[in-house]
Amino acid sequence: AQSVSQHNHHVILSEAASLELGCNYSYGGTVNLFWYVQYPGQHLQLLLKYFSGDPLVKGIKGFEAEFIKSKFSFNLRKPSVQWSDTAEYFCAVSRNSGYSTLTFGKGTMLLVSP
Amino acid sequence: EAGVAQSPRYKIIEKRQSVAFWCNPISGHATLYWYQQILGQGPKLLIQFQNNGVVDDSQLPKDRFSAERLKGVDSTLKIQPAKLEDSAVYLCASSPALTAGLTEAFFGQGTRLTVV
């Protein structure tokens, strides 16, 4: 079974700071990788996803993530955060076959101070 | 496009009572998931349906939890009897039919259950 580890439970940044949230997964086969975001009071929304091809994927709102297969990692980055990026961020993985499900990490709560 | 609808949004019950949650997935989505999200943790899969058949319910506490998806559309999740540790947000998600893995799951707002 696959599992996901997110390195930081809480991150506090000032506006304009750069962001990197760590995510590692464990699964021996081919995977699909996702970052979901949950803004206060809202539902989980897809931020970006990786299936194959270019390991650097770009998502909404200036976010990007890089898949490094050798490190089983899929870290999320943003060069300059805004107050509106305050949210909880979840990394998730699914098998790239059949009736797969999303396995989530525990999440990282990002607080951006103005 | 209408999203995944869930009701109720909030529910408070006493332990040993029963409760039911309802989910209406995005039209045409064959796959439906119920997740449990305890405060401070990521969502944990309880059960996955493909149309009206169960694909994975390995983490569903079957002594107290049950779920059904009639006619392959709406779904209900029931807890009977509830325990204090069932306090959580229950998320419903749907995705198009799976052929070669999951492409994207769309989530509802969730139902926040408090058991007192």
Side-chain angles (χ1 to χ4, degrees):
Chain A
Q2 62 264 33
S3 66
V4 178
S5 175
Q6 291 186 239
H7 306 161
N8 309 97
H9 202 53
H10 292 92
V11 172
I12 301 174
L13 294 173
S14 299
E15 274 194 315
S18 64
L19 170 71
E20 181 160 4
L21 301 182
C23 172
N24 286 92
Y25 69 93
S26 64
Y27 180 68
T30 305
V31 294
N32 295 336
L33 295 158
F34 306 80
W35 275 97
Y36 276 81
V37 61
Q38 189 167 27
Y39 297 104
Q42 297 188 26
H43 61 281
L44 277 165
Q45 303 171 44
L46 183 68
L47 201 54
L48 48 80
K49 58 188 177 183
Y50 171 80
F51 294 155
S52 63
D54 188 345
L56 184 62
V57 293
K58 295 190 185 298
I60 60 172
K61 303 186 179 184
F63 286 90
E64 65 178 32
E66 184 176 13
F67 171 50
I68 303 179
K69 189 175 181 179
S70 61
K71 295 184 178 180
F72 296 88
S73 70
F74 190 56
N75 293 352
L76 180 71
R77 300 194 293 249
K78 186 171 183 178
S80 176
V81 295
Q82 301 173 318
W83 177 78
S84 58
D85 293 325
T86 293
E88 191 155 20
Y89 293 81
F90 294 93
C91 182
V93 63
S94 73
R95 296 190 313 276
N96 188 17
S97 63
Y99 296 128
S100 58
T101 63
L102 277 172
T103 299
F104 285 88
K106 291 189 174 184
T108 298
M109 184 66 220
L110 171 66
L111 177 61
V112 180
S113 58
Chain B
E1 176 182 81
V4 177
Q6 290 188 248
S7 67
R9 288 292 311 277
Y10 305 93
K11 190 74 177 179
I12 301 174
I13 61 172
E14 295 182 350
K15 59 184 179 182
R16 291 188 289 273
Q17 286 187 323
S18 62
V19 64
F21 313 127
W22 173 82
C23 173
N24 181 236
I26 292 173
S27 178
H29 280 190
T31 309
L32 186 147
Y33 313 82
W34 283 102
Y35 283 84
Q36 179 192 57
Q37 186 176 15
I38 293 173
L39 187 65
Q41 300 182 21
K44 182 186 85 171
L45 179 73
L46 292 176
I47 189 167
Q48 177 186 354
F49 293 93
Q50 182 75 7
N51 296 309
N52 60 350
V54 176
V55 173
D56 184 350
D57 64 356
S58 57
Q59 298 190 88
L60 186 73
K62 298 180 185 63
D63 57 333
R64 297 184 301 105
F65 285 65
S66 64
E68 61 181 6
R69 191 182 184 195
L70 299 176
K71 301 181 181 179
V73 182
D74 293 7
S75 177
T76 56
L77 176 70
K78 297 179 181 178
I79 307 175
Q80 182 179 11
K83 293 185 175 181
L84 295 177
E85 58 261 36
D86 298 332
S87 294
V89 177
Y90 290 85
L91 299 168
C92 180
S94 70
S95 67
L98 299 179
T99 53
L102 180 65
T103 54
E104 180 178 348
F106 297 82
F107 285 82
Q109 295 265 36
T111 296
R112 182 177 297 276
L113 173 67
T114 303
V115 183
V116 298

